[in-house]
Amino acid sequence: MQNIVLLIASVGGLVMPSACATTSSANAVASTPVRPSEAQSDGPRLYVANQDDASISIIDLETNAVIETVDLQNLGFAANAKPHHTAVEPDGSYWYVSLIAAGKVLKFSRDNQLVGQADFETPGMLALHPTRDLLYVGRSMAAVNPPQRIGLIERGSMDLDEVDVFFGRPHALAIGPSGDWVYSGSLAGNQIASINIDTEELALTTLDGDTHVMVQFALSPDGRWMVATAQLTSKLLVFDASDPANPQLIREIDVNGMPWHPIFSPDGRWVWFGNQAANTVTVVDATSWSVADVIEGDGIAEPHGVAMSPDGGHVYVSNRNVKGEYTPGGGAAASESRGNVIVINTATRTIERVIEVGRYAAGLSTQSRH
């Protein structure tokens, strides 16, 4: 470990064997796709960025139906604005979306009125602080050589500042549940920046071995564990985050091809994520750090984002479906290549619904409490 101006830690690539996966097929229980509906409630909503349609689909979680689609072109943005990821206030009062090509982060009210925006070059992932008026912004995968900085937005004013991370292509982004530390991961190298939100102290962790291309992070509800999905090596990387400045890699779990966005269950027992190259959804047991299940079924087509209902009863997975492997409505032309969101019952691990949304369904999110 070398100390310069930054605290730099090196972690060896310790690989430990994972348990064999079981596979559950949900084909037989997947229901007829749900189409847009006017039905809605005052409960939590799911916000889905449709990257190739310049739109955001809004889904009522009590009815599992699309209640509104926000068309960014109607608000003056270009057809190639490329909305990529969303974030929602814990109480659902406001929501945010990053626009890769437009270079914007937008803020909307619950009634879907545009109330603020911030300029940021090629924004990607969003991480909303659990208690403070802060929103962190990473860079998109589409950005080949973006600034080596992440964004920091004051949510009330939408004023933006930038924070140096000192490595190329910062993409993966997460905030610990205590709100004391924010983590950024590099697509270009095996580096993680741990940033103390109070002091702005930054520590760099460098992993040995092959370049993983870390897509996204997730932290357990107690903050003890952090996981990262590795696009190129098809692994789930498990870190002990007991010392938040120096997360220690303790295990590499082999999973299906191109794991994408991960999420912990509210009790911290399970980690869920889609496998974009395999058209599956993986469930990892966080008590044994082994693959507990691999879910297959109608609607899973290049899975991308993941979110969980506030009660933990359902997992929502967005599917790009750009190759047209899933035909919407059970008979539409594959050339339409429309995206969807599958609804998985976490108790039975079966697909209960397929909700049609826009093209290239990417990042999605919902509020954390109801």
Side-chain angles (χ1 to χ4, degrees):
M1 184 170 65
Q2 182 180 10
N3 293 305
I4 312 178
V5 178
L6 308 176
L7 175 60
I8 303 176
S10 178
V11 178
L14 175 63
V15 181
M16 299 180 69
S18 61
C20 295
T22 58
T23 302
S24 64
S25 174
N27 281 308
V29 296
S31 67
T32 301
V34 175
R35 296 181 179 278
S37 167
E38 293 301 319
Q40 57 182 296
S41 68
D42 293 328
R45 296 172 179 177
L46 184 75
Y47 297 84
V48 187
N50 303 312
Q51 191 164 305
D52 283 354
D53 270 351
S55 70
I56 298 91
S57 297
I58 301 168
I59 297 171
D60 186 309
L61 295 193
E62 294 186 6
T63 61
N64 280 329
V66 176
I67 57 172
E68 187 169 347
T69 299
V70 174
D71 188 335
L72 295 174
Q73 294 183 74
N74 291 340
L75 298 175
F77 296 97
N80 69 339
K82 294 190 181 301
H84 183 69
H85 196 223
T86 65
V88 191
E89 295 285 349
D91 62 359
S93 56
Y94 295 97
W95 59 274
Y96 307 83
V97 61
S98 57
L99 310 184
I100 298 171
K104 300 276 189 181
V105 177
L106 306 183
K107 177 181 181 179
F108 288 84
S109 61
R110 181 175 168 86
D111 60 0
N112 306 320
Q113 299 300 305
L114 180 61
V115 296
Q117 55 186 287
D119 295 324
F120 188 71
E121 182 180 334
T122 58
M125 302 303 297
L126 301 176
L128 187 139
H129 195 283
T131 59
R132 303 188 193 182
D133 188 36
L134 302 175
L135 176 69
Y136 284 86
V137 190
R139 307 285 180 173
S140 166
M141 274 190 170
V144 177
N145 189 30
Q148 295 184 0
R149 298 186 296 274
I150 60 174
L152 172 59
I153 296 174
E154 292 185 2
R155 303 200 305 259
S157 64
M158 291 301 288
D159 290 338
L160 182 141
D161 199 358
E162 297 193 9
V163 179
D164 288 311
V165 292
F166 303 102
F167 53 60
R169 305 184 69 194
H171 184 267
L173 188 68
I175 297 176
S178 68
D180 296 329
W181 293 81
V182 60
Y183 299 91
S184 174
S186 172
L187 292 173
N190 289 338
Q191 290 188 298
I192 299 170
S194 306
I195 304 167
N196 185 298
I197 292 175
D198 285 327
T199 66
E200 299 184 356
E201 171 194 358
L202 182 147
L204 286 180
T205 299
T206 301
L207 308 181
D208 297 331
D210 295 336
T211 300
H212 291 291
V213 180
M214 290 176 282
V215 177
Q216 179 59 329
F217 298 138
L219 282 109
S220 60
D222 62 3
R224 168 70 188 278
W225 306 106
M226 182 172 77
V227 296
T229 44
Q231 178 186 5
L232 289 189
T233 56
S234 294
K235 295 179 183 294
L236 183 73
L237 308 178
V238 182
F239 297 86
D240 185 336
S242 299
D243 177 1
N246 298 287
Q248 299 295 308
L249 181 65
I250 64 160
R251 187 163 299 193
E252 300 182 7
I253 305 171
D254 292 324
V255 297
N256 282 353
M258 294 174 63
W260 225 245
H261 297 176
I263 193 169
F264 273 89
S265 60
D267 61 3
R269 172 69 188 274
W270 310 103
V271 179
W272 294 73
F273 52 89
N275 306 99
Q276 199 172 112
N279 292 340
T280 58
V281 174
T282 297
V283 186
V284 168
D285 188 334
T287 61
S288 61
W289 292 119
S290 61
V291 174
D293 211 346
V294 177
I295 300 169
E296 300 175 332
D298 199 24
I300 306 179
E302 301 162 75
H304 185 114
V306 64
M308 188 165 288
S309 60
D311 64 2
H314 292 89
V315 165
Y316 298 82
V317 182
S318 61
N319 293 271
R320 295 180 181 179
N321 194 33
V322 296
K323 299 176 183 177
E325 295 173 291
Y326 167 70
T327 53
S335 60
E336 288 187 8
S337 303
R338 296 194 63 81
N340 70 67
V341 174
I342 60 168
V343 184
I344 301 176
N345 183 306
T346 58
T348 63
R349 297 179 186 164
T350 56
I351 300 172
E352 291 187 341
R353 296 284 179 90
V354 180
I355 307 171
E356 296 172 16
V357 292
R359 292 180 300 146
Y360 197 127
L364 75 171
S365 60
T366 188
Q367 65 197 68
S368 59
R369 63 175 184 262
H370 182 187

